[in-house]
Amino acid sequence: MKIRNKLRFCLLVLLLLGVLLFTGGSLIPMPEVVYANDTTYGWHSCLQDVGMGVIALVGGLLVYIVHYKVRKLNDLKTVKTPGKWATVLVANMAVLLLIPGAFLYYSFRGWRGDYPASADSIGIPLLMQLYSTLLLLIPLNIFLLLAIWKISLPSYLYMKTLKDCGWLRFWKILLDCLLVLDSLLLVYMVWDGDIVAVVSLLMLFYVILTLRTGKVNYYNQQCLRK
C-alpha cells in the first residue's frame, strides 16, 4: 500500500502513541496515600503527562498541516504567513491562552493528587502564573512593535536570504535563539503534559518563524532595489 500523505501518516502514528501512553498510564494503579505529605505522582502520572503532551503536540501540528494543506515537507515552502498585525494578534492570543491553561493545569493535577494534602494551596502558584502571564504581555508587545518595524509581511514562511547585512544578521541570530528557546520549552511542556502550554508554544514558534521570514523578505527587497 502506497501512503500518499506520509507526513500526516507519521503524525497520526505519533497521535496513536500518545493515546496509548495516556491509556497505559491510566491503567497503572496510583500509589496509596497514607500520610499527609504523600503524593500520588508516579508512573501512572508520568505516562499520563507524556501521553497528553504528545497528543497536544501532534494535534496542534495536524491542525496546521490540514489548514495549509501540507502533504510533504517541501510544501512548507509554499505556506504564506499572515500580515504584521495578524502576527501580533496571534502572539498575544498565544500568551493569553496560558491563563485558562493555568487553571486547567493546576486543577487537573490537584484532582489527581500530585500535591500532598499538607502542601500550601494551589492558589498561590496559580496566581503567580496569572500575574506573570499578564506582565509578560508588556515586554512581548514592545518586542513585537520593534520586530514589525522594517518587515515585509505577508510572505512565504521559508525564504532564502539573498544577501546578509548587519541588521539582518542581528535579527536572524536573535530570532534563531528564540526558536531554540521555544523548542526547549516545548519539549519540557510535552514531557510535563501541559497541553495548553504546548499549543501556546506552537503558536509562538509560528510567530517567530513569521517574524524571521518577514525580516528576510524585507532585506531581500532592499537588495533587489539596489
Side-chain angles (χ1 to χ4, degrees):
M1 181 181 67
K2 185 178 179 180
I3 301 172
R4 292 184 178 181
N5 196 327
K6 294 182 180 180
L7 181 60
R8 193 175 301 181
F9 175 77
C10 292
L11 289 176
L12 288 174
V13 171
L14 284 176
L15 181 63
L16 178 61
L17 175 62
V19 172
L20 291 175
L21 286 171
F22 180 80
T23 305
S26 301
L27 295 176
I28 298 175
M30 289 190 296
E32 184 179 354
V33 176
V34 179
Y35 303 103
N37 60 347
D38 285 348
T39 174
T40 60
Y41 192 87
W43 280 108
H44 166 276
S45 304
C46 183
L47 289 177
Q48 274 192 342
D49 288 346
V50 176
M52 289 189 299
V54 172
I55 291 171
L57 175 65
V58 176
L61 292 175
L62 280 173
V63 169
Y64 177 84
I65 67 170
V66 169
H67 176 71
Y68 286 106
K69 298 178 182 179
V70 176
R71 295 182 177 274
K72 51 188 178 181
L73 289 176
N74 283 337
D75 291 344
L76 292 172
K77 297 178 181 179
T78 64
V79 173
K80 293 207 74 174
T81 68
K84 292 191 293 185
W85 297 110
T87 302
V88 172
L89 178 62
V90 172
N92 280 271
M93 287 174 58
V95 174
L96 289 173
L97 195 61
L98 295 174
I99 294 178
F103 283 98
L104 180 63
Y105 179 88
Y106 287 106
S107 298
F108 175 73
R109 278 151 182 76
W111 167 80
R112 195 169 60 181
D114 290 0
Y115 308 113
S118 60
D120 293 332
S121 170
I122 62 172
I124 298 175
L126 179 59
L127 287 175
M128 288 179 63
Q129 183 165 332
L130 294 181
Y131 288 138
S132 59
T133 299
L134 292 173
L135 287 174
L136 179 61
L137 290 173
I138 299 174
L140 171 70
N141 282 283
I142 293 174
F143 170 76
L144 289 171
L145 290 175
L146 291 173
I148 64 173
W149 183 57
K150 290 188 177 182
I151 200 171
S152 183
L153 292 173
S155 173
Y156 290 107
L157 190 58
Y158 296 94
M159 183 171 290
K160 292 182 179 179
T161 303
L162 296 180
K163 183 179 179 181
D164 265 325
C165 63
W167 278 110
L168 180 56
R169 289 194 194 97
F170 166 79
W171 280 108
K172 285 170 66 176
I173 291 172
L174 175 60
L175 294 170
D176 285 345
C177 289
L178 291 177
L179 285 174
V180 172
L181 177 60
D182 188 280
S183 300
L184 292 175
L185 289 173
L186 185 58
V187 171
Y188 174 77
M189 291 304 174
V190 169
W191 178 264
D192 193 48
D194 193 338
I195 55 177
V196 179
V198 169
V199 175
S200 175
L201 287 168
L202 282 174
M203 293 171 67
L204 289 174
F205 192 91
Y206 177 67
V207 167
I208 299 168
L209 275 180
T210 299
L211 294 175
R212 190 184 190 281
T213 196
K215 287 294 183 183
V216 172
N217 189 29
Y218 174 82
Y219 285 102
N220 280 352
Q221 292 178 11
Q222 297 302 308
C223 290
L224 293 173
R225 289 172 185 169
K226 292 180 180 179

